[in-house]
Amino acid sequence: SRLPQFGAQEMSNTVWAFATLLLSADPLLASVAEAALPRLRTWRPQELANTVWAYARLCFLHEDLMVGIADRLMVLRSTSEVGTFTVQEMVNTVWACAQVMFCHEKLLESIGQTAIEQASEWHPRDLANTIWAWARLVLTNE
């Protein structure tokens, strides 16, 4: 397998392509997760968001990968790199968490705070999708 030679963008694009085509490939997803985990500290928001979206679209929960991605996003959000997050990346991440029923409270609260602070700048569809995701997670976890 050449997977260990892939960079973040190649891994992210690969799983995104499978998810876009709705091609289930559980062994590939498991392999990508294992290859990505030790390198997540170098991934950018777009690669993280696209990856988490792809796994959720294929209904494949890899708990360690989700935790790793959420933790990496929290590190990025706590630094000066916050401005590098697009609304779409935040919305896709929250949607993906809800889709696979993965609740990372600190990340969801952080994105929620951003949504509240920037609500007038967000498209109504993005706000609605974010609220749907919170509701799904909150109602299920209570």
Side-chain angles (χ1 to χ4, degrees):
S1 168
R2 295 187 56 203
L3 195 53
Q5 299 168 352
F6 280 25
Q9 186 173 357
E10 291 85 7
M11 282 191 243
S12 176
N13 287 351
T14 299
V15 296
W16 176 89
F18 273 80
T20 299
L21 297 171
L22 287 173
L23 295 175
S24 183
D26 291 0
L28 173 69
L29 295 174
S31 294
V32 168
E34 294 306 316
L37 277 167
R39 297 188 268 171
L40 288 176
R41 69 186 177 284
T42 65
W43 286 37
R44 298 176 310 222
Q46 182 180 9
E47 296 154 350
L48 297 163
N50 287 352
T51 300
V52 75
W53 175 87
Y55 278 73
R57 174 113 162 116
L58 294 171
C59 299
F60 188 93
L61 174 60
H62 190 288
E63 187 108 16
D64 291 341
L65 181 65
M66 292 294 286
V67 169
I69 287 174
D71 290 346
R72 172 66 178 152
L73 287 169
M74 285 305 298
V75 167
L76 290 171
R77 290 184 66 75
S78 69
T79 68
S80 60
E81 297 181 60
V82 158
T84 64
F85 282 88
T86 68
V87 171
Q88 192 63 49
E89 289 161 356
M90 288 185 272
V91 173
N92 285 354
T93 298
V94 173
W95 174 87
C97 289
Q99 189 68 17
V100 295
M101 301 308 297
F102 174 78
C103 188
H104 190 283
E105 289 183 24
K106 289 181 181 180
L107 177 62
L108 295 173
E109 287 174 12
S110 176
I111 292 173
Q113 188 61 39
T114 300
I116 291 167
E117 292 168 2
Q118 299 175 359
S120 63
E121 301 166 30
W122 283 34
H123 189 281
R125 177 195 63 239
D126 294 329
L127 287 170
N129 287 341
T130 301
I131 293 167
W132 169 85
W134 289 332
R136 179 176 167 121
L137 288 168
V138 168
L139 294 174
T140 303
N141 288 319
E142 285 191 351

